[in-house]
Amino acid sequence: MDQQASAIGGRIRALRRARGLTLVQLAAIAQLSHPFLSQLERGRARPSMVSLEKIARALGTSQLELMAAAEDAAEPVESPTVLVRADEGTRGPYGGGTGRLLVHGRRRFHPMEFTGDNLDAGEYFVHAEDEFVHVVAGTVVIDLAEHGTSTLREGDSLYYVGGTPHRWSAIDADGYRLFVVKEKPVRL
């Protein structure tokens, strides 16, 4: 059995259960077939990037966090410390940009570096976990739906509780770089 596919499938199953969803419900939300999701959860199929994005959105997470499951599973013992060098860390699509996880293994929260230059905020993301955003470079507009819109510049930070719809965009083509800390959805 493919260990990476099995790890990603296990993460999908754990998140689905943590969200209180059945396979059929997740399939409907993600607009995928439930037999395909069943195969994924058992590590007998590999998702395309498009399918992985649909599943991630439906579960309130990201492709990057689902892909990191393979690395988490490969770490046999949870070390008390984690060192991630500047050229390391799982990288991948996250929202409208690119994320780099700043830890690996089974940790209580996920700090990441996020880089984007999207001028369109796109769809809202909603997940159960609290999130903290700090602007390292550039200017970003963060839209929290009924909680308002804020323009954050270098050095500004924003914290919002789980369940808050959120999306963000750049104000110009120069883009932005963020430090984002999100609670880990479930202890896997």
Side-chain angles (χ1 to χ4, degrees):
M1 184 180 294
D2 180 340
Q3 186 176 0
Q4 185 179 36
S6 181
I8 291 171
R11 174 68 57 91
I12 291 169
R13 181 185 313 106
L15 287 172
R16 175 181 61 78
R17 288 178 176 166
R19 304 287 192 255
L21 297 171
T22 66
L23 267 175
V24 173
Q25 290 169 324
L26 177 58
I29 296 167
Q31 299 177 337
L32 297 168
S33 76
H34 76 273
F36 172 66
L37 286 177
S38 176
Q39 293 289 320
L40 281 178
E41 284 191 1
R42 291 184 284 143
R44 297 178 189 257
R46 284 184 152 269
S48 68
M49 291 306 283
V50 172
S51 295
L52 198 60
E53 172 66 18
K54 288 180 177 183
I55 294 165
R57 277 192 171 275
L59 292 171
T61 190
S62 69
Q63 292 168 289
L64 176 62
E65 290 167 314
L66 292 175
M67 292 184 306
E71 286 185 13
D72 290 355
E75 187 171 299
V77 176
E78 190 170 317
S79 168
T81 62
V82 176
L83 173 63
V84 177
R85 301 280 184 195
D87 60 343
E88 298 174 340
T90 303
R91 298 172 196 272
Y94 188 86
T98 303
R100 177 174 73 100
L101 293 179
L102 302 175
V103 297
H104 53 82
R106 298 177 178 137
R107 304 295 163 194
R108 292 178 40 195
F109 56 89
H110 283 163
M112 78 175 69
E113 176 183 51
F114 180 86
T115 306
D117 59 6
N118 55 306
L119 296 173
D120 177 10
E123 297 178 37
Y124 285 102
F125 284 86
V126 180
H127 46 76
E129 302 77 32
D130 289 8
E131 193 162 56
F132 170 82
V133 178
H134 177 78
V135 181
V136 176
T139 303
V140 64
V141 176
I142 299 182
D143 179 357
L144 300 177
E146 67 272 6
H147 300 287
T149 300
S150 299
T151 301
L152 281 71
R153 291 173 176 66
E154 187 174 322
D156 292 344
S157 300
L158 180 65
Y159 179 97
Y160 43 91
V161 298
T164 303
H166 58 282
R167 59 186 182 175
W168 51 62
S169 61
I171 61 160
D172 57 39
D174 291 336
Y176 52 87
R177 197 170 93 208
L178 308 175
F179 174 66
V180 179
V181 180
K182 179 180 169 188
E183 285 182 303
K184 190 163 185 176
V186 290
R187 188 98 172 138
L188 300 174

